[in-house]
Amino acid sequence: MIAIFAGGCFWCTEAVFQRVKGVGEVTPGFCGGFIKNPPYREVVQGRTGHAEAIKINFDPEVVSYKQLLEVFFATHDPTTLNRQGYDVGTHYRSAIFYTDDLQRQQAIAMIDDLNAAGTYNDPIVTQVAEATAFYEAEKEHYDYYNNNREQGYCRVIIDPKIKKLLTDYKDLAVT
């Protein structure tokens, strides 16, 4: 099955979901925009309407879509509009691009439950939208964290997200 999430920089979300049991391929790219085949430089300038996203191929016999949603919400800030930390712009928005009505229902229910539980200090602003065409990012964005672990961005921004996965979702994490 396929899941498409945008949780800010796709380097972060790719690194997290590569470490989830039942997840096969994780592809960084762009979704939710209005032009075909957007190049990275156009996306980050806010010219295309796309979000940096990842397409996840997963085995629902091993990990459910609901579990993927739980990891998604736990490893980014879904309460900041068009921003993740220092990364600012519509391309860094929090979004779930559903591929069928069940995914849509599960995403909305998860948001409602998290808001009702007061999980975050502010309301969740994650966009829930039907998946549009997904465009793969340029190859230099693939496996970014795995290939650049010592880079400052990876150590400061991505490492804590992976630590959270390994600590709070150890039953789902690949060790």
Side-chain angles (χ1 to χ4, degrees):
M1 292 193 67
I2 301 289
I4 302 173
F5 298 143
C9 176
F10 51 36
W11 298 341
C12 298
T13 49
E14 177 195 48
V16 168
F17 284 96
Q18 285 176 329
R19 289 157 176 76
V20 174
K21 291 177 185 172
V23 169
E25 187 176 15
V26 180
T27 306
F30 314 107
C31 195
F34 49 80
I35 69 166
K36 292 182 180 179
N37 299 310
Y40 179 76
R41 69 183 177 280
E42 297 286 323
V43 172
V44 299
Q45 291 174 357
R47 295 180 180 178
T48 70
H50 291 88
E52 287 192 21
I54 55 167
K55 181 170 68 172
I56 303 166
N57 287 303
F58 69 99
D59 180 350
E61 299 293 321
V62 179
V63 63
S64 70
Y65 185 73
K66 183 179 179 187
Q67 289 171 310
L68 293 177
L69 287 171
E70 290 171 3
V71 170
F72 170 72
F73 281 109
T75 56
H76 84 293
D77 182 353
T79 69
T80 54
L81 186 63
N82 301 326
R83 165 183 217 126
Q84 284 300 302
Y86 297 110
D87 296 331
V88 179
T90 58
H91 55 289
Y92 291 124
R93 69 186 177 269
S94 175
I96 298 165
F97 297 102
Y98 60 85
T99 61
D100 60 34
D101 196 53
L102 182 58
Q103 285 187 355
R104 183 186 68 77
Q105 291 171 16
Q106 288 179 323
I108 291 169
M110 174 87 48
I111 291 169
D112 290 346
D113 291 348
L114 292 169
N115 279 330
T119 304
Y120 302 97
N121 292 332
D122 297 308
I124 292 172
V125 296
T126 301
Q127 173 190 24
V128 178
E130 185 172 8
T132 58
F134 182 89
Y135 299 100
E136 293 185 19
E138 294 86 348
K139 293 300 179 196
E140 64 263 22
H141 298 291
Y142 283 59
D143 275 330
Y144 189 86
Y145 174 79
N146 296 331
N147 293 326
N148 298 281
R149 285 180 127 152
E150 295 305 314
Q151 188 210 47
Y153 186 90
C154 293
R155 294 171 59 101
V156 172
I157 304 297
I158 303 175
D159 280 350
K161 295 172 186 282
I162 291 173
K163 183 178 181 184
K164 184 166 186 72
L165 171 72
L166 298 175
T167 303
D168 296 353
Y169 296 90
K170 59 183 160 217
D171 56 322
L172 293 177
V174 175
T175 54

